[in-house]
């Protein structure tokens, strides 16, 4: 499977500040990446689909102005949490859609733990 | 539309006993089915997947699952539990170019 990295793995920020999380596809060019959030002891919830060179598609209920997604290259997507609040504290996981014949698969990053104080 | 139901949010088995984690799905298109494992503060690791062909799928760490279309099920099994199997397990379904839909997860506890 593909190798996906996320940076940082853990971040603590103060309420009102912004934080950027990077997701990189290390071994193939990814036209589509996904961003999920996971609250403690819960399942993954899709936040948005990120397509290289175009605007992200957000799921219902996800504030696009708060969670800014940029997919500027075929190997990098970023999620910026703007004006973070304690309720934004969560585990954020990105994934990459597989290439060609594996397009039904997603390869997941290791996740980023965000804590807003 | 697609959905996944995982019966049992918590399952406890003794070390060496059979592991059975249940997953039922609903899909309006031919499904691709996955089982993932998640250890604390980590991402998801793919255990196994069903796409087409053989309905009994073998994965990593001794796990396997059987796709039963008539029962719309994709239960995960392992003949003999090991302490290292303690984790959260997620069943997921998708179709080609569809979103990946996750179940609510099953926390597996292994009793020494």
């Amino acid at each position: 499977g593909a190798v996906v990295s996320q940076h940082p793995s853990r971040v603590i920020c103060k309420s009102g500040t912004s934080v950027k999380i990077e997701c990189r596809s290390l071994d193939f060019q990814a036209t589509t990446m996904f961003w999920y959030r996971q609250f403690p002891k819960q399942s993954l919830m899709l936040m948005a689909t990120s397509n290289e060179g175009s605007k992200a598609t957000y799921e219902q209920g996800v504030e696009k102005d708060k969670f800014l997604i940029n997919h500027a290259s075929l190997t990098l997507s970023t999620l910026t949490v703007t004006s973070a609040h304690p309720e934004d504290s969560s585990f954020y996981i990105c994934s990459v859609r597989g290439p060609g014949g594996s397009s039904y698969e997603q390869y997941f990053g290791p996740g980023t733990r965000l804590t807003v104080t | 539309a697609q959905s996944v139901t995982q019966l049992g949010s918590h399952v406890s088995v003794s070390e060496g006993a059979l592991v059975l984690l249940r997953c039922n799905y609903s899909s309006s298109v031919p499904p691709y089915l996955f089982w993932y494992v998640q250890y604390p503060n980590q991402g998801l690791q793919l255990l196994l997947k069903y796409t087409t062909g053989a309905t009994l799928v073998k994965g990593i760490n001794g796990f396997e699952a059987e796709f039963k279309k008539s029962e719309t099920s994709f239960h995960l099994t392992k003949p003999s539990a090991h302490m290292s199997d303690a984790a959260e397990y997620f069943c997921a379904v998708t179709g080609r170019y569809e979103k990946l839909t996750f179940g609510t997860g099953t926390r597996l506890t292994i009793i020494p």
Side-chain angles (χ1 to χ4, degrees):
Chain A
V3 180
V4 180
S5 70
Q6 280 185 243
H7 178 80
S9 58
R10 187 179 292 267
V11 58
I12 301 172
C13 70
K14 293 188 175 182
S15 187
T17 62
S18 295
V19 62
K20 180 185 287 188
I21 302 169
E22 294 184 347
C23 176
R24 292 183 184 273
S25 175
L26 298 183
D27 51 3
F28 74 90
Q29 294 180 327
T31 56
T32 304
M33 295 185 178
F34 303 88
W35 287 95
Y36 296 84
R37 68 186 299 182
Q38 183 181 32
F39 290 109
K41 302 186 188 303
Q42 294 189 25
S43 188
L44 279 74
M45 297 299 294
L46 179 64
M47 298 175 66
T49 301
S50 168
N51 293 295
E52 189 268 338
S54 63
K55 291 184 178 180
T57 302
Y58 291 81
E59 295 299 299
Q60 190 173 6
V62 177
E63 299 176 60
K64 62 180 181 181
D65 294 330
K66 181 171 185 60
F67 298 99
L68 301 179
I69 291 172
N70 187 311
H71 193 158
S73 79
L74 287 171
T75 59
L76 174 65
S77 177
T78 60
L79 169 67
T80 301
V81 183
T82 63
S83 187
H85 288 93
E87 57 265 31
D88 299 324
S89 298
S90 189
F91 195 53
Y92 293 86
I93 303 175
C94 72
S95 70
V96 171
R97 172 173 276 160
S102 300
S103 61
Y104 56 86
E105 284 204 59
Q106 292 183 27
Y107 304 99
F108 288 86
T112 296
R113 172 75 59 193
L114 170 63
T115 302
V116 184
T117 61
Chain B
Q2 298 169 309
S3 66
V4 175
T5 301
Q6 289 185 242
L7 293 176
S9 58
H10 291 85
V11 171
S12 295
V13 301
S14 298
E15 189 175 15
L18 171 72
V19 175
L20 170 60
L21 305 183
R22 299 179 185 275
C23 173
N24 288 89
Y25 71 92
S26 173
S27 178
S28 56
V29 297
Y32 298 129
L33 294 156
F34 304 84
W35 274 100
Y36 294 92
V37 61
Q38 185 180 34
Y39 297 98
N41 293 310
Q42 295 187 26
L44 300 184
Q45 181 181 9
L46 180 66
L47 280 177
L48 49 78
K49 63 186 178 186
Y50 169 80
T51 55
T52 59
T55 56
L56 181 61
V57 179
K58 295 186 184 299
I60 62 172
N61 301 338
F63 285 94
E64 62 182 37
E66 186 171 9
F67 171 62
K68 292 186 176 181
K69 184 177 180 180
S70 61
E71 298 177 9
T72 60
S73 68
F74 191 57
H75 301 331
L76 181 71
T77 61
K78 181 175 180 177
S80 178
H82 192 273
M83 295 300 295
S84 61
D85 295 327
E88 188 85 20
Y89 291 80
F90 293 97
C91 181
V93 64
T94 189
R96 201 171 185 92
Y97 295 108
E98 297 284 328
K99 299 173 186 177
L100 189 61
T101 301
F102 288 90
T104 51
T106 298
R107 181 169 299 276
L108 177 64
T109 300
I110 309 298
I111 304 167

